[in-house]
Amino acid sequence: MKIDSHFAFFDEGSKKEIRRSILKAVSIPGYQVPFASREMPIARGWGTGGLQITLSIIGKKDVLKVIDQGADESVNAVSIKKLVNATTGVKLVERTLDASIIQSRHRIPEVPLTENQILVLQVPEPEPLRKVEASEYRTKILHSEEDYSGAWLMLFEQIMKFGKTATGADHPVYVNDRYVMAPSPIPRFDNPKMHQSDALILLGAGREKKIYAIPPYTDVHSLAFDDHPFSVESFAGKHCHLCGAEDVFMDELIDPATGDTIYQCNDTSYCMERLNENQEIEVGGNYA
């Protein structure tokens, strides 16, 4: 038995409330806006915050792409796409430039986004000060007073212990020279992509009931000390064993046949697009 639902699952009142929170988040870059997180047909912690944003802003003419840690075919990405498509009928794509809305878990696509696109990031922990302050009441006061000594102390302790900052992902950023923000557990490699982005970036934490945003062309700088500047993961001298790409975020794998270490593009659609381009060049060259 098929049960009819509202367009994009939510009733119009729910979508309006979430959109109002989004508008406030866009107006105050980096500020965490509380919202009434709804019950979803997926478990909290599996992207309910990002999904609620997507369902609230999507229209019939939109084109959707969903990524889970760089992959379009993972269980999380496929499940979200099925839900959105079943309740909206919108077109689903894997090519980044064809999408008007891109919902992602833990990655920003390798292809630069445009001003006609919206990136929605799923966030498990939106509070960058939670590791140093357990009280929500206190963290709100710290944000209001722009007191981010706790975040700086966390990075300082990492430097003292490891000789460098050890944030593998979710490295805190300063947004618009005002708020310190958790950028979702994207790798450090993706942090610079937020700075002066052409696309609107929306971040949703369903379990923590928070929405925040980075409007287009906003300054975003990763926290770092002058004598220990921010650096991203290095893949110098490495290339994707499938498409040959360099200077992208890659996964380290073990070749089952030889046991050697190999590297592969984390962004699967980017890798596939390069493979198709290389094949066209090869076929055209052979034909000539």
Side-chain angles (χ1 to χ4, degrees):
M1 181 178 68
K2 182 178 179 181
I3 300 176
D4 292 331
S5 65
H6 294 280
F7 177 81
F9 188 75
F10 290 134
D11 62 273
E12 292 305 310
S14 295
K15 286 187 279 191
K16 286 180 181 179
E17 191 274 335
I18 295 172
R19 286 197 291 263
R20 283 194 290 268
S21 298
I22 292 172
L23 285 173
K24 183 173 182 179
V26 172
S27 301
I28 314 174
Y31 174 72
Q32 300 169 52
V33 180
F35 80 109
S37 181
R38 270 65 178 176
E39 292 296 328
M40 301 292 297
I42 62 174
R44 292 190 185 276
W46 290 91
T48 57
L51 182 56
Q52 289 180 73
I53 290 177
T54 296
L55 291 172
S56 298
I57 64 175
I58 200 165
K60 294 181 179 180
K61 295 182 180 180
D62 278 307
V63 179
L64 177 68
K65 172 183 171 70
V66 182
I67 315 168
D68 180 13
Q69 295 191 358
D72 296 82
E73 307 85 8
S74 74
V75 173
N76 187 242
V78 171
S79 298
I80 289 174
K81 283 189 283 190
K82 282 184 177 180
L83 174 61
V84 178
N85 179 257
T87 57
T88 64
V90 299
K91 183 179 178 181
L92 304 175
V93 296
E94 293 185 358
R95 187 171 182 267
T96 300
L97 289 178
D98 291 339
S100 58
I101 298 175
I102 302 164
Q103 181 172 332
S104 178
R105 175 175 178 257
H106 301 180
R107 277 307 314 276
I108 296 177
E110 299 294 349
V111 177
L113 304 180
T114 70
E115 60 184 10
N116 297 318
Q117 294 178 303
I118 298 175
L119 174 65
V120 180
L121 289 174
Q122 303 169 200
V123 183
E125 176 51 75
E127 179 51 70
L129 300 175
R130 184 62 68 231
K131 292 181 180 178
V132 295
E133 177 53 68
S135 167
E136 178 75 7
Y137 175 76
R138 285 295 308 162
T139 56
K140 283 185 174 293
I141 293 175
L142 293 173
H143 280 291
S144 68
E145 296 177 348
E146 203 171 350
D147 181 359
Y148 296 119
S149 55
W152 288 106
L153 180 60
M154 179 181 67
L155 297 179
F156 177 75
E157 288 176 341
Q158 292 174 2
I159 293 172
M160 295 302 295
K161 187 174 182 179
F162 304 108
K164 60 180 181 180
T165 55
T167 48
D170 209 16
H171 186 96
V173 295
Y174 239 130
V175 180
N176 203 34
D177 296 323
R178 175 56 183 88
Y179 285 99
V180 166
M181 187 192 86
S184 165
I186 57 174
R188 297 157 64 100
F189 191 90
D190 287 346
N191 273 25
K193 298 177 185 176
M194 291 184 159
H195 178 64
Q196 289 292 315
S197 168
D198 291 351
L200 168 63
I201 302 175
L202 303 175
L203 303 98
R207 185 169 46 195
E208 299 293 324
K209 303 179 177 60
K210 298 288 181 61
I211 289 173
Y212 49 110
I214 301 175
Y217 313 114
T218 299
D219 287 337
V220 179
H221 300 291
S222 300
L223 266 63
F225 296 97
D226 292 341
D227 56 345
H228 284 80
F230 175 78
S231 62
V232 301
E233 296 88 345
S234 176
F235 297 96
K238 308 293 190 301
H239 66 274
C240 175
H241 75 105
L242 294 176
C243 70
E246 300 175 343
D247 299 324
V248 297
F249 189 79
M250 289 186 273
D251 295 326
E252 183 178 308
L253 308 172
I254 301 297
D255 189 330
T258 64
D260 295 334
T261 300
I262 57 176
Y263 291 85
Q264 183 174 316
C265 292
N266 176 266
D267 188 334
T268 56
S269 67
Y270 174 82
C271 189
M272 185 62 67
E273 195 168 336
R274 279 183 55 89
L275 282 170
N276 291 336
E277 290 175 357
N278 292 341
Q279 188 174 18
E280 289 176 4
I281 293 173
E282 184 179 344
V283 171
N286 292 339
Y287 179 77

